[in-house]
Amino acid sequence: MKVLVAVKRVVDYNVKVRVKSDGSGVDIANVKMSMNPFDEIGVEEAIRLREAGVASEIVAVSLGSAQCQETLRTALAMGADRAILVETDVELQPLAVAKLLRAVVEREQPGLAILGKQAIDDDANQTGQMLAALLGWPQATFASKLTVSGDRAEVVREVDGGLETLALPLPAVMTTDLRLNEPRYVTLPNIMKAKKKPLDVLRADALGVDIAPRLSTLRVEEPAKRQAGAKVADIKELVARLRTEAKVI
């Protein structure tokens, strides 16, 4: 079975994000970029499926500028067999990403498409669901455990009330949650080997997909700074402050 994993290039989760002075967006100049953590979990899960003898090939896919090749090389160093970059300079929103991924899926015909449940830059949590709808495939979101047997997959997913177990036929779309696995450390020898693995570049306009943005960003602002806390001597003073200063009681 071929497994397709989508990976996104985002600002590293350790970086403190800053808003541009004109409020037009987030400043990513000279900022460390890395693979979206949920997508990294997806790559790890695909590798574990191959190690278990379930998957025969892992294809990593990224969409965006030429710099996304760095993210794909990371996926190859982790263990993906080959990579595909759908290159475009257009701002990609979730629906456009889903449409481009559908075009790639139709070319590659994987048995399972794995996506992170959300990207840490826009937190949209939409692409996996949209891709499943466009393909007409069953989907299992927020997966914390995956078991594949034959042409069926069993997925344990996290819901508000606890855990839910789904059985679905393949091909299918799955999105990863944090507790699915712990991604492996990328070693230097594997990074060197990744440079020799195939990485194909496709132009987004060649796929015949309308990727024009449906939404426009009017302004980006940093959250208001929280006021410092204060200590009170006793409950009586706390109640008084809540009543007279905070006016919540």
Side-chain angles (χ1 to χ4, degrees):
M1 179 181 70
K2 182 189 297 184
V3 179
L4 185 142
V5 186
V7 296
K8 185 177 183 181
R9 181 175 182 262
V10 298
V11 175
D12 190 87
Y13 66 92
N14 289 312
V15 173
K16 178 177 173 54
V17 177
R18 299 185 183 276
V19 176
K20 293 181 180 178
S21 58
D22 60 359
S24 61
V26 174
D27 187 4
I28 60 173
N30 301 317
V31 170
K32 181 183 178 182
M33 308 292 284
S34 61
M35 186 188 303
N36 180 48
F38 290 102
D39 299 341
E40 195 173 8
I41 293 171
V43 175
E44 174 65 27
E45 191 64 20
I47 296 169
R48 295 188 183 191
L49 289 175
R50 188 183 59 198
E51 291 173 346
V54 175
S56 56
E57 184 182 23
I58 301 169
V59 182
V61 181
S62 191
L63 304 91
S65 63
Q67 288 87 344
C68 292
Q69 291 190 32
E70 299 173 8
T71 306
L72 288 171
R73 290 297 179 191
T74 300
L76 292 171
M78 288 180 67
D81 297 298
R82 58 189 178 90
I84 300 173
L85 170 62
V86 180
E87 189 173 352
T88 179
D89 294 324
V90 177
E91 177 193 355
L92 294 176
Q93 296 176 353
L95 181 58
V97 173
K99 288 180 177 179
L100 289 172
L101 287 176
R102 177 184 61 176
V104 175
V105 167
E106 290 173 347
R107 289 166 62 102
E108 294 292 328
Q109 295 295 310
L112 179 65
I114 301 178
L115 293 78
K117 73 170 184 178
Q118 63 196 77
I120 62 172
D121 50 3
D122 58 15
D123 272 338
N125 184 15
Q126 296 175 349
T127 305
Q129 294 89 327
M130 288 178 172
L131 176 61
L134 292 172
L135 290 170
W137 286 8
Q139 61 176 300
T141 56
F142 317 136
S144 59
K145 183 179 180 181
L146 169 65
T147 305
V148 177
S149 178
D151 60 352
R152 296 185 68 82
E154 185 175 286
V155 177
V156 178
R157 59 188 301 267
E158 300 189 0
V159 296
D160 291 341
L163 299 177
E164 178 183 55
T165 302
L166 300 178
L168 53 158
L170 299 176
V173 174
M174 186 192 79
T175 68
T176 64
D177 210 334
L178 280 175
R179 280 156 288 280
L180 181 60
N181 60 53
E182 182 71 26
R184 66 194 61 196
Y185 178 76
V186 180
T187 63
L188 181 59
N190 286 337
I191 293 175
M192 301 306 294
K193 291 177 183 177
K195 295 180 179 181
K196 299 180 179 180
K197 292 184 178 181
L199 193 160
D200 299 326
V201 179
L202 305 175
R203 288 296 304 174
D205 49 14
L207 296 177
V209 176
D210 178 16
I211 58 175
R214 264 55 175 183
L215 305 172
S216 59
T217 302
L218 300 180
R219 185 171 179 80
V220 178
E221 298 178 358
E222 291 189 9
K225 293 185 178 180
R226 298 179 61 182
Q227 295 182 351
K231 291 184 178 181
V232 294
D234 51 32
I235 295 295
K236 185 177 180 180
E237 183 183 352
L238 173 61
V239 172
R241 288 200 176 195
L242 291 175
R243 179 177 291 117
T244 59
E245 296 179 14
K247 298 182 187 283
V248 295
I249 59 174

